[in-house]
Amino acid sequence: MSNAKLTALQDLIDRPKDLYKLKVYEQKLHSVSTTLLFDIRTIVMNAQSSSKYLEDISRLMGQLRLRIDTLIDQSRRIEVQIRPGTSDKKRKTIFNNAILYDFIIFSKCWDLKIIFGRIDSLIIFEEKDEIKSLAKQILDDIQSMSELFSNKENIAVNIQSSEEVAETLLLSFNKELEFAEKAGALKGILKLDKPRLLGKGKYYDQLGNIILKIIMTFDSSSSTEPIAIRAIFSRLNEEYPRVKAEIDDLQKVLANLDETGLLILKQDRDGQFWIQLHPSETETNIILGLAKRKGYITLEELIMITNWSIEEASVEMDKFVKSGLAIKDTSYSSGTKYYFPGLAEQ
C-alpha cells in the first residue's frame, strides 16, 4: 500500500458534527477524485503525444482518453440529491453512504493515475506488449468506476444502512474498503469494533494465530492437562487489549482448531469449556515460531527441524491450512511454502 496514498486520505478525513458539514465533507471528497481524473487526463494526453510514432499505441491512448473524459463527465454531473421531507437521520445515512463510495472512488483514481504514469514511461522504451496489458486493466477499472458513479447516484432512492451498503461493496471492493479502514476513514460511519464486515474470515484467521500463541504460553506439565477457555480469554484481554473479541468468537476459533486437530475442545458437566493440547504441541510451537519470524515455512526446513517424514510434515501443515491459518503455495522453483498472513501482518 502506498504511504503517499494513505497520507493523502488521512489528510482528507474529517468528523462532521452536523448535516451541513457532512454534506461539505462529502463534496470535498468527491471533488478530490474529480481532480485526480483531470490529472489522469493530462497524463493520457501527454502519453498520446509521446506515442505519435507508435501508431497502434497512440490510437490506444486516444481511446483511453475518451473513456477518461466520460468518467470526468459522470463525476462532474453527480450530486447527492435528497428528496424534501427526508428525516435528518436518513439524510445522514445517505451522505455517509455517499462517502463510502467516495473512499472507493478516491482509491481507484489514485491507483489509476499511477498506472497511467507507468504507461507514460513505458512508451519511451516502446514496451508495446506491457502497455497493452496495462490498458486492459485500465479499461476494467474504468468500467468499474463508471458503475460506482452510477450506483452512487441512486443511493438516495433505496436508502440502506451504511453496514448494508458496505457489505454489498465488499464483494468487489474489499481492498479499497480495507484501505479506508486502515486510514481511519470509516470511524463514525461503520460500527467496526470487531471486523464484522471487513475481512471477517481474515479476522478469525488472525485471532486463531493469536489464540495459539497464547495457549503456548501456559505452563502445562503435559499435553493432557486442560486449560479453561475463560483463562485463555482473560490472557487475551491482558496481552492483546486492542483485539476486540468476545467469548463466542474465542469459542468459534477453538472449535475450528479442534476440527483440524491442532487441539482438543471439551465441555464439562457444568457446561464450562476447556481445551487440551494436541500431543504434538511442541512441533506446533516450532511451526508458529518459524512462521512468526518469517511469515512462511518451507516443507523442507520443517522436515530438517522435526525429523518428520514428508508425509508427517504435510499432515501437520495441512491442519493449519484447513483451519485457515496458513496458505499453501507449491512452486517448482522454490518448493512448497506455507504462508501465515495472520502472523506476518501483526
Side-chain angles (χ1 to χ4, degrees), residues 122-171:
L122 288 170
I123 288 173
I124 299 173
F125 301 101
E126 299 186 10
E127 298 285 350
K128 292 186 178 182
D129 290 340
E130 190 170 351
I131 290 171
K132 290 176 181 178
S133 176
L134 288 174
K136 291 179 182 178
Q137 179 184 341
I138 287 170
L139 287 171
D140 288 340
D141 287 340
I142 289 174
Q143 178 61 33
S144 176
M145 289 176 64
S146 179
E147 292 172 3
L148 281 168
F149 282 131
S150 297
N151 291 334
K152 183 185 172 183
E153 282 188 295
N154 295 321
I155 59 172
V157 178
N158 181 23
I159 304 173
Q160 296 177 292
S161 71
S162 296
E163 284 76 18
E164 289 173 320
V165 171
E167 194 165 9
T168 300
L169 290 172
L170 277 169
L171 298 175

Side-chain angles (χ1 to χ4, degrees), residues 195-248:
R196 183 163 52 89
L197 293 174
L198 298 185
K200 185 184 292 184
K202 180 180 176 182
Y203 166 75
Y204 284 114
D205 290 348
Q206 291 181 331
L207 184 58
N209 278 305
I210 292 171
I211 295 306
L212 275 177
K213 286 192 292 182
I214 289 174
I215 290 171
M216 295 305 163
T217 65
F218 279 85
D219 297 324
S220 300
S221 58
S222 73
S223 62
T224 60
E225 185 175 336
I227 303 171
I229 283 186
R230 291 198 174 278
I232 300 171
F233 186 62
S234 177
R235 193 165 294 190
L236 171 66
N237 290 330
E238 290 174 3
E239 298 182 11
Y240 297 87
R242 295 185 63 186
V243 175
K244 304 300 182 183
E246 299 171 4
I247 194 73
D248 289 343

Side-chain angles (χ1 to χ4, degrees), residues 1-15 25 29 103 106-107 175-187 192 198:
M1 181 184 297
S2 167
N3 288 332
K5 177 181 171 183
L6 187 66
T7 301
L9 181 55
Q10 288 173 333
D11 288 344
L12 293 171
I13 294 172
D14 197 359
R15 302 277 183 255
Y25 178 42
L29 290 172
F103 290 147
F106 168 83
S107 183
K175 182 180 72 173
E176 287 76 16
L177 282 178
E178 282 194 355
F179 161 70
E181 183 187 26
K182 182 171 183 178
L186 299 184
K187 187 177 180 181
L192 292 172
L198 298 185

Side-chain angles (χ1 to χ4, degrees), residues 53 64 137 211 296 339:
Y53 299 111
L64 292 177
Q137 179 184 341
I211 295 306
Y296 71 88
Y339 290 91

